[in-house]
């Protein structure tokens, strides 16, 4: 967290809540696969860079924030190599994002690269959640928002954030 500026109690609380939700309380570093209807739609999604048959499954969510899609695996590789030159080629070896070091570093890099420290400083947990997992059209809220808020409350209490 320190390497990516997640260095205040407010930032840490928001980060821990988000990775707690995304990873099923730090149990999963690979997306559970059904496939669900949403997962089936990963296949062929140009916005994710999934251009080859099988990319949807191959580049399913991995890491503590669940990096998803060929393009995002390549972006994570490029971003992490700026601070960790020995980072694997996640596009060529997607399973490497399941290793503890890379699962954690990829989440922290994603956080910094999406400007989430600034949102955490402002206490804008809604926008943090939306940037990580989008908005559910049915509810108008980011997916899993109730759970994310509970985890955030717990993390703030543990870290002494008002």
């Amino acid at each position: 967290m320190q390497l990516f500026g997640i260095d205040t109690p407010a930032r840490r609380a928001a980060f821990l809540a988000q990775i707690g939700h995304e990873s099923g309380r730090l149990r999963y570093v690979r997306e559970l696969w059904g496939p669900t209807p949403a997962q089936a739609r990963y296949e062929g999604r140009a916005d994710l860079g999934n251009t080859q048959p099988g990319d949807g499954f191959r580049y399913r969510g991995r890491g503590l924030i669940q990096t998803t899609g060929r393009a995002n695996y390549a972006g994570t590789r490029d971003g992490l190599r700026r601070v960790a030159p020995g980072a694997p080629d996640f596009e060529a070896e997607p399973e490497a994002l399941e290793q503890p070091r890379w699962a954690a570093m990829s989440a922290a890099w994603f956080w910094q690269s999406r400007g989430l420290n600034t949102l955490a400083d402002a206490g804008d947990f809604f926008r943090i959640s939306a940037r990580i997992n989008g908005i559910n059209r049915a509810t108008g809220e980011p997916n899993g928002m109730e759970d994310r808020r509970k985890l955030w409350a717990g993390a703030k209490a543990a870290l002494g954030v008002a």
Side-chain angles (χ1 to χ4, degrees), residues 119-138:
L119 295 178
D121 292 345
D124 195 344
F125 196 71
F126 183 94
R127 284 183 52 205
I128 292 170
S129 302
R131 285 195 187 168
I132 290 172
N133 202 272
I135 301 288
N136 182 316
R137 291 180 190 157

Side-chain angles (χ1 to χ4, degrees), residues 11 32 42 51 54 58 66 75 79 89 97-98 101 105 136 140 162:
R11 291 175 179 186
L32 300 175
Y42 293 168
T51 58
R58 184 166 192 221
Q66 301 293 304
D89 181 349
L97 273 178
E98 297 175 32
R101 177 180 186 195
M105 284 188 74
N136 182 316

